[in-house]
Amino acid sequence: MDGTREIGSALREQIGEAEWALRVQLAACYRIIDHLGWTELIWSHTTVRVPGPEHHFLINPYGLRYDEVTASNLVKIDLDGKPVGPTAHLVNPAGFVIHSAIHRVREDAKCVMHTHTVAGMAVAAQAGGVLPVSMYALGFDGQVAYHDFEGPSLDLGERDRLAANLGNRNLLVLRTHGLLTCGRSIPEAFVYMYRLQRACEIQLAAQAGGGPLIVPPEAVRRASVENTAQFLATGGVATFGELEFDALVRLMDRKDPSFRT
């Protein structure tokens, strides 16, 4: 552990406080995803863009479990998927394609989160996509984008199509694949993913009941979107998700604070 702290301390001096703070927050996010059971072995990713004009972003080391991610072992890469600075770790090519597709065109998308949960992939396999049948789904009714499956995301040409399908929205269902959210911060992308994941879980549970599903009238659906935006912005628009995310960071500190190294 002492060796890890030394590595983290040296890196912190090289990159500055702003990037280090993002590294700690992103490492905490990986531990939270692991805690919530959203992991899939070593696959899927959450990325965050570091300050500066270069569009460099941080991604998890390919081959490590989410509970092994720390602030210092996150890999910084450019839009071509090449590491920026020395690293002993690999980067998943498919993860690079999906995340770089968004980071290179969406200045506001500082964080991009992608998951392969059972509920998310199950709804991604349904022609109707996310249905307005739960409080969570109604909060972003009409705001979910869709991108058709093109096979494992290794083709750089897919980046333009994926970005075009997402447009200026923050929630995306990758058909046959999984869920993706983005935000102006890690907490914002997280809270969108939490609510999208819950919408998918509830939809599947409701469908399993076998009866007809209740879809509220259009006026209620519009009001739900507006009210949810106000609810999430309790501390102001720039703090979307911070209360929820910080509460879980405190839990991660109690469980295992090694993500900070």
Side-chain angles (χ1 to χ4, degrees), residues 27-49:
C29 187
Y30 275 103
R31 300 298 182 93
I32 291 169
I33 293 171
D34 177 73
H35 172 74
L36 293 173
W38 295 352
T39 60
E40 174 138 300
L41 294 181
I42 61 172
W43 304 307
S44 76
H45 311 277
T46 295
T47 57
V48 66
R49 181 179 169 186

Side-chain angles (χ1 to χ4, degrees), residues 2-250:
D2 289 339
T4 303
R5 286 200 182 97
E6 290 176 4
I7 293 172
S9 178
L11 178 62
R12 186 172 185 170
E13 291 181 3
Q14 294 172 14
I15 63 177
E17 292 299 323
E19 181 178 329
W20 182 256
L22 281 176
R23 283 176 172 268
V24 171
Q25 193 176 50
L26 182 58
C29 187
Y30 275 103
R31 300 298 182 93
I32 291 169
I33 293 171
D34 177 73
H35 172 74
L36 293 173
W38 295 352
T39 60
E40 174 138 300
L41 294 181
I42 61 172
W43 304 307
S44 76
H45 311 277
T46 295
T47 57
V48 66
R49 181 179 169 186
V50 300
E54 300 89 353
H55 286 80
H56 294 162
F57 59 95
L58 300 170
I59 193 169
N60 53 317
Y62 193 38
L64 297 189
R65 302 186 310 271
Y66 277 28
D67 64 307
E68 296 178 299
V69 173
T70 67
S72 58
N73 68 25
L74 288 162
V75 182
K76 182 160 57 175
I77 61 176
D78 61 21
L79 290 177
D80 294 320
K82 298 177 181 178
V84 177
T87 179
H89 301 286
L90 300 174
V91 172
N92 181 7
F96 151 71
V97 168
I98 292 173
H99 290 257
S100 65
I102 300 169
H103 282 300
R104 69 188 185 128
V105 298
R106 286 278 301 271
E107 291 292 332
D108 63 316
K110 305 300 184 185
C111 179
V112 179
M113 181 177 293
H114 172 43
T115 61
H116 292 168
T117 63
V118 172
M121 294 182 76
V123 171
Q126 297 185 356
V130 181
L131 303 177
V133 295
S134 72
M135 177 180 68
Y136 288 107
L138 286 165
F140 42 75
D141 183 49
Q143 299 180 349
V144 180
Y146 294 86
H147 174 67
D148 288 338
F149 188 61
E150 299 185 23
S153 300
L154 298 174
D155 178 11
L156 289 177
E158 186 180 358
R159 296 195 298 183
D160 291 336
R161 295 184 290 277
L162 191 154
N165 289 149
L166 176 64
N168 61 0
R169 298 181 180 183
N170 290 318
L171 298 95
L172 176 70
V173 172
L174 297 161
R175 301 278 193 186
T176 321
H177 188 163
L179 306 178
L180 183 147
T181 60
C182 54
R184 294 159 293 185
S185 66
I186 294 172
E188 182 176 27
F190 170 78
V191 79
Y192 286 148
M193 180 60 76
Y194 181 83
R195 298 177 77 85
L196 183 57
Q197 170 69 18
R198 290 287 287 154
C200 291
E201 292 170 347
I202 296 166
Q203 177 174 321
L204 294 176
Q207 290 171 325
L213 302 181
I214 298 173
V215 176
E218 181 65 24
V220 173
R221 291 162 65 175
R222 288 197 306 270
S224 294
V225 173
E226 296 173 1
N227 292 340
T228 297
Q230 294 177 12
F231 170 76
L232 291 177
T234 301
V237 173
T239 63
F240 264 51
E242 283 190 4
L243 292 175
E244 297 88 342
F245 187 82
D246 289 349
L248 289 171
V249 172
R250 294 194 297 272

